[in-house]
Amino acid sequence: MTRPPASADAPVDAPVIEFRQVGLTYPGPPPVAAFQPCDLRVGRGEFVTVVGPSGSGKSTFLNIAGLLDSPTTGTYLLDGIDTGVLKDGDRTALRGRRIGFVFQSFHLLAHRSALENVSLAMVYNGFRRRDRTARAREALERVGLGPRAGALPTRLSGGERQRVAIARALVARPSLLLCDEPTGNLDSANAGTVLGLLEELHTDGMTILVITHDAEVAARGGRTVSIRDGHLHEQVAA
Ligand code: ADP
């Protein structure tokens, strides 16, 4: 299997994520300081898990890291690129090229096959249809679903649906895979397959950040950070 490369023009030595005193306060009223200014570096190839109770700021953190929300203070460098100076269109393009998202509830189109779900993710990246299909097949093979490429999501197990969603996240060959409770809707057998796949992708060099409530999932990361009341802390292994 070939390693999904980082985007061609990414500076190879820059961390994938670098926060310099990045924080976010929702304006309100009243203002909510949801994510307190912090420094964070996630290097290429790291597998980081993010834990914290409900309301602690995990989604706010994911939205910032995923370029869905802009911090209200500090500087966020993604692959060495200062995201704070980008115009909206450039931010969207950067997000589409460099970040793959995996959500708890899969977000697959119900009436499209696994192959179409994956290939449609590339429509806005300027690939030709033939190339999209070839890359979608390759991504589905990577997650072990090559033989099920033609299946509708309703014909797939929860674990298989999540693997389709992972294939969709990988197909543009991003630098960073951002996963929000990726096993939250799965039974333990399916959760095990999905976690095993994330571990394989990590072994192949992908940078992965997983938000989770589940201590077992958190323990699978090479490094864990916790968020409490908007404060991010490195968690030191016991
Ligand atoms: P988590 O993902 O850990 O459950 P969130 O990041 O969703 O936490 O929320 C962190 C804090 O920010 C909470 O107090 C929440 O109520 C608040 N919050 C989240 N989104 C908004 C918003 N759009 N406007 C104002 N406050 C918000």
mmCIF file of all heavy atoms in Angstrom, residues 42-43 45-49 195 198-200 202-203 206-210 217-218 220-224:
data_model
loop_
_atom_site.group_PDB
_atom_site.id
_atom_site.type_symbol
_atom_site.label_atom_id
_atom_site.label_comp_id
_atom_site.label_asym_id
_atom_site.label_seq_id
_atom_site.Cartn_x
_atom_site.Cartn_y
_atom_site.Cartn_z
ATOM 1 N N VAL A 42 1.494 19.865 16.513
ATOM 2 C CA VAL A 42 1.271 18.468 16.146
ATOM 3 C C VAL A 42 2.146 18.187 14.932
ATOM 4 O O VAL A 42 1.959 18.786 13.862
ATOM 5 C CB VAL A 42 -0.216 18.189 15.830
ATOM 6 C CG1 VAL A 42 -0.404 16.750 15.359
ATOM 7 C CG2 VAL A 42 -1.090 18.463 17.051
ATOM 8 N N GLY A 43 3.135 17.319 15.120
ATOM 9 C CA GLY A 43 4.092 17.048 14.049
ATOM 10 C C GLY A 43 3.538 16.065 13.029
ATOM 11 O O GLY A 43 2.563 15.349 13.296
ATOM 12 N N GLY A 45 2.775 12.941 11.068
ATOM 13 C CA GLY A 45 2.778 11.526 11.432
ATOM 14 C C GLY A 45 2.355 11.250 12.862
ATOM 15 O O GLY A 45 2.330 10.089 13.267
ATOM 16 N N GLU A 46 2.003 12.270 13.626
ATOM 17 C CA GLU A 46 1.547 12.027 15.007
ATOM 18 C C GLU A 46 0.092 11.529 15.023
ATOM 19 O O GLU A 46 -0.699 11.887 14.151
ATOM 20 C CB GLU A 46 1.624 13.304 15.847
ATOM 21 C CG GLU A 46 3.021 13.581 16.395
ATOM 22 C CD GLU A 46 2.952 14.545 17.579
ATOM 23 O OE1 GLU A 46 2.707 14.090 18.704
ATOM 24 O OE2 GLU A 46 3.140 15.760 17.349
ATOM 25 N N PHE A 47 -0.228 10.751 16.065
ATOM 26 C CA PHE A 47 -1.610 10.309 16.313
ATOM 27 C C PHE A 47 -1.974 10.872 17.686
ATOM 28 O O PHE A 47 -1.508 10.384 18.709
ATOM 29 C CB PHE A 47 -1.658 8.781 16.300
ATOM 30 C CG PHE A 47 -3.035 8.162 16.416
ATOM 31 C CD1 PHE A 47 -3.211 6.826 16.132
ATOM 32 C CD2 PHE A 47 -4.154 8.893 16.787
ATOM 33 C CE1 PHE A 47 -4.468 6.222 16.225
ATOM 34 C CE2 PHE A 47 -5.409 8.309 16.877
ATOM 35 C CZ PHE A 47 -5.555 6.963 16.593
ATOM 36 N N VAL A 48 -2.790 11.929 17.686
ATOM 37 C CA VAL A 48 -3.115 12.637 18.927
ATOM 38 C C VAL A 48 -4.591 12.423 19.244
ATOM 39 O O VAL A 48 -5.446 12.568 18.367
ATOM 40 C CB VAL A 48 -2.834 14.155 18.775
ATOM 41 C CG1 VAL A 48 -3.199 14.897 20.049
ATOM 42 C CG2 VAL A 48 -1.372 14.396 18.419
ATOM 43 N N THR A 49 -4.872 12.075 20.499
ATOM 44 C CA THR A 49 -6.275 11.996 20.920
ATOM 45 C C THR A 49 -6.579 13.178 21.832
ATOM 46 O O THR A 49 -5.703 13.667 22.551
ATOM 47 C CB THR A 49 -6.590 10.649 21.603
ATOM 48 O OG1 THR A 49 -5.612 10.373 22.597
ATOM 49 C CG2 THR A 49 -6.581 9.523 20.601
ATOM 50 N N LEU A 195 -10.817 1.573 14.602
ATOM 51 C CA LEU A 195 -9.590 1.993 15.303
ATOM 52 C C LEU A 195 -8.365 1.323 14.700
ATOM 53 O O LEU A 195 -7.306 1.944 14.549
ATOM 54 C CB LEU A 195 -9.680 1.641 16.785
ATOM 55 C CG LEU A 195 -10.518 2.600 17.607
ATOM 56 C CD1 LEU A 195 -10.654 2.082 19.031
ATOM 57 C CD2 LEU A 195 -9.891 3.995 17.614
ATOM 58 N N LEU A 198 -7.470 3.233 11.650
ATOM 59 C CA LEU A 198 -6.791 4.505 11.958
ATOM 60 C C LEU A 198 -5.334 4.231 12.355
ATOM 61 O O LEU A 198 -4.424 4.971 11.966
ATOM 62 C CB LEU A 198 -7.524 5.253 13.076
ATOM 63 C CG LEU A 198 -8.907 5.808 12.717
ATOM 64 C CD1 LEU A 198 -9.550 6.473 13.925
ATOM 65 C CD2 LEU A 198 -8.838 6.794 11.545
ATOM 66 N N GLU A 199 -5.120 3.161 13.098
ATOM 67 C CA GLU A 199 -3.743 2.826 13.493
ATOM 68 C C GLU A 199 -2.874 2.468 12.287
ATOM 69 O O GLU A 199 -1.721 2.848 12.204
ATOM 70 C CB GLU A 199 -3.747 1.691 14.520
ATOM 71 C CG GLU A 199 -4.065 2.241 15.898
ATOM 72 C CD GLU A 199 -4.268 1.185 16.969
ATOM 73 O OE1 GLU A 199 -4.462 0.001 16.644
ATOM 74 O OE2 GLU A 199 -4.241 1.572 18.144
ATOM 75 N N GLU A 200 -3.476 1.741 11.339
ATOM 76 C CA GLU A 200 -2.723 1.410 10.116
ATOM 77 C C GLU A 200 -2.355 2.678 9.353
ATOM 78 O O GLU A 200 -1.245 2.823 8.857
ATOM 79 C CB GLU A 200 -3.585 0.561 9.187
ATOM 80 C CG GLU A 200 -3.600 -0.906 9.482
ATOM 81 C CD GLU A 200 -4.529 -1.590 8.472
ATOM 82 O OE1 GLU A 200 -4.538 -1.205 7.290
ATOM 83 O OE2 GLU A 200 -5.261 -2.489 8.898
ATOM 84 N N HIS A 202 -1.977 5.610 10.541
ATOM 85 C CA HIS A 202 -0.920 6.272 11.312
ATOM 86 C C HIS A 202 0.424 5.620 11.020
ATOM 87 O O HIS A 202 1.429 6.300 10.760
ATOM 88 C CB HIS A 202 -1.265 6.192 12.802
ATOM 89 C CG HIS A 202 -0.163 6.624 13.688
ATOM 90 N ND1 HIS A 202 0.304 5.853 14.728
ATOM 91 C CD2 HIS A 202 0.600 7.734 13.689
ATOM 92 C CE1 HIS A 202 1.299 6.475 15.319
ATOM 93 N NE2 HIS A 202 1.489 7.622 14.713
ATOM 94 N N THR A 203 0.471 4.298 11.009
ATOM 95 C CA THR A 203 1.717 3.579 10.707
ATOM 96 C C THR A 203 2.220 3.960 9.314
ATOM 97 O O THR A 203 3.417 4.053 9.081
ATOM 98 C CB THR A 203 1.466 2.050 10.776
ATOM 99 O OG1 THR A 203 0.943 1.766 12.061
ATOM 100 C CG2 THR A 203 2.731 1.256 10.569
ATOM 101 N N MET A 206 0.162 8.919 8.191
ATOM 102 C CA MET A 206 -0.866 9.967 8.243
ATOM 103 C C MET A 206 -0.863 10.643 9.615
ATOM 104 O O MET A 206 -0.629 9.991 10.632
ATOM 105 C CB MET A 206 -2.233 9.315 7.971
ATOM 106 C CG MET A 206 -3.433 10.239 8.017
ATOM 107 S SD MET A 206 -3.314 11.674 6.951
ATOM 108 C CE MET A 206 -3.506 10.941 5.331
ATOM 109 N N THR A 207 -1.123 11.934 9.635
ATOM 110 C CA THR A 207 -1.284 12.676 10.890
ATOM 111 C C THR A 207 -2.759 12.626 11.267
ATOM 112 O O THR A 207 -3.624 12.971 10.455
ATOM 113 C CB THR A 207 -0.851 14.143 10.684
ATOM 114 O OG1 THR A 207 0.435 14.137 10.065
ATOM 115 C CG2 THR A 207 -0.800 14.894 12.000
ATOM 116 N N ILE A 208 -3.027 12.187 12.495
ATOM 117 C CA ILE A 208 -4.420 11.924 12.885
ATOM 118 C C ILE A 208 -4.720 12.582 14.225
ATOM 119 O O ILE A 208 -3.923 12.500 15.171
ATOM 120 C CB ILE A 208 -4.682 10.407 12.985
ATOM 121 C CG1 ILE A 208 -4.349 9.738 11.650
ATOM 122 C CG2 ILE A 208 -6.125 10.120 13.391
ATOM 123 C CD1 ILE A 208 -4.514 8.230 11.642
ATOM 124 N N LEU A 209 -5.862 13.233 14.292
ATOM 125 C CA LEU A 209 -6.320 13.839 15.541
ATOM 126 C C LEU A 209 -7.736 13.324 15.798
ATOM 127 O O LEU A 209 -8.612 13.457 14.942
ATOM 128 C CB LEU A 209 -6.323 15.352 15.327
ATOM 129 C CG LEU A 209 -6.088 16.192 16.552
ATOM 130 C CD1 LEU A 209 -5.256 17.387 16.177
ATOM 131 C CD2 LEU A 209 -7.402 16.641 17.085
ATOM 132 N N VAL A 210 -7.923 12.688 16.941
ATOM 133 C CA VAL A 210 -9.217 12.063 17.244
ATOM 134 C C VAL A 210 -9.793 12.658 18.523
ATOM 135 O O VAL A 210 -9.172 12.587 19.587
ATOM 136 C CB VAL A 210 -9.063 10.537 17.438
ATOM 137 C CG1 VAL A 210 -10.399 9.913 17.871
ATOM 138 C CG2 VAL A 210 -8.572 9.876 16.165
ATOM 139 N N VAL A 217 -10.401 4.502 23.463
ATOM 140 C CA VAL A 217 -9.979 5.126 22.199
ATOM 141 C C VAL A 217 -8.837 6.093 22.482
ATOM 142 O O VAL A 217 -7.817 6.108 21.772
ATOM 143 C CB VAL A 217 -11.159 5.875 21.528
ATOM 144 C CG1 VAL A 217 -10.709 6.598 20.273
ATOM 145 C CG2 VAL A 217 -12.305 4.915 21.231
ATOM 146 N N ALA A 218 -8.984 6.874 23.550
ATOM 147 C CA ALA A 218 -7.955 7.878 23.879
ATOM 148 C C ALA A 218 -6.599 7.213 24.073
ATOM 149 O O ALA A 218 -5.565 7.743 23.651
ATOM 150 C CB ALA A 218 -8.355 8.642 25.136
ATOM 151 N N ARG A 220 -5.353 4.819 22.570
ATOM 152 C CA ARG A 220 -4.731 4.335 21.333
ATOM 153 C C ARG A 220 -3.833 5.388 20.711
ATOM 154 O O ARG A 220 -3.022 5.074 19.844
ATOM 155 C CB ARG A 220 -5.796 3.915 20.313
ATOM 156 C CG ARG A 220 -6.807 2.923 20.842
ATOM 157 C CD ARG A 220 -6.258 1.520 20.947
ATOM 158 N NE ARG A 220 -6.320 0.789 19.692
ATOM 159 C CZ ARG A 220 -7.304 -0.070 19.363
ATOM 160 N NH1 ARG A 220 -8.298 -0.273 20.185
ATOM 161 N NH2 ARG A 220 -7.281 -0.721 18.218
ATOM 162 N N GLY A 221 -3.988 6.650 21.089
ATOM 163 C CA GLY A 221 -3.165 7.710 20.508
ATOM 164 C C GLY A 221 -1.735 7.642 21.036
ATOM 165 O O GLY A 221 -1.493 7.155 22.135
ATOM 166 N N GLY A 222 -0.809 8.163 20.259
ATOM 167 C CA GLY A 222 0.570 8.233 20.718
ATOM 168 C C GLY A 222 0.732 9.332 21.762
ATOM 169 O O GLY A 222 1.700 9.358 22.523
ATOM 170 N N ARG A 223 -0.245 10.234 21.773
ATOM 171 C CA ARG A 223 -0.198 11.384 22.666
ATOM 172 C C ARG A 223 -1.631 11.823 22.910
ATOM 173 O O ARG A 223 -2.449 11.752 21.992
ATOM 174 C CB ARG A 223 0.580 12.464 21.916
ATOM 175 C CG ARG A 223 0.608 13.820 22.530
ATOM 176 C CD ARG A 223 1.423 14.715 21.597
ATOM 177 N NE ARG A 223 1.243 16.096 21.899
ATOM 178 C CZ ARG A 223 1.477 17.103 21.051
ATOM 179 N NH1 ARG A 223 1.910 16.844 19.827
ATOM 180 N NH2 ARG A 223 1.293 18.335 21.419
ATOM 181 N N THR A 224 -1.906 12.236 24.157
ATOM 182 C CA THR A 224 -3.271 12.674 24.462
ATOM 183 C C THR A 224 -3.232 14.085 25.027
ATOM 184 O O THR A 224 -2.375 14.393 25.870
ATOM 185 C CB THR A 224 -3.929 11.727 25.491
ATOM 186 O OG1 THR A 224 -3.943 10.405 24.950
ATOM 187 C CG2 THR A 224 -5.353 12.132 25.807
#
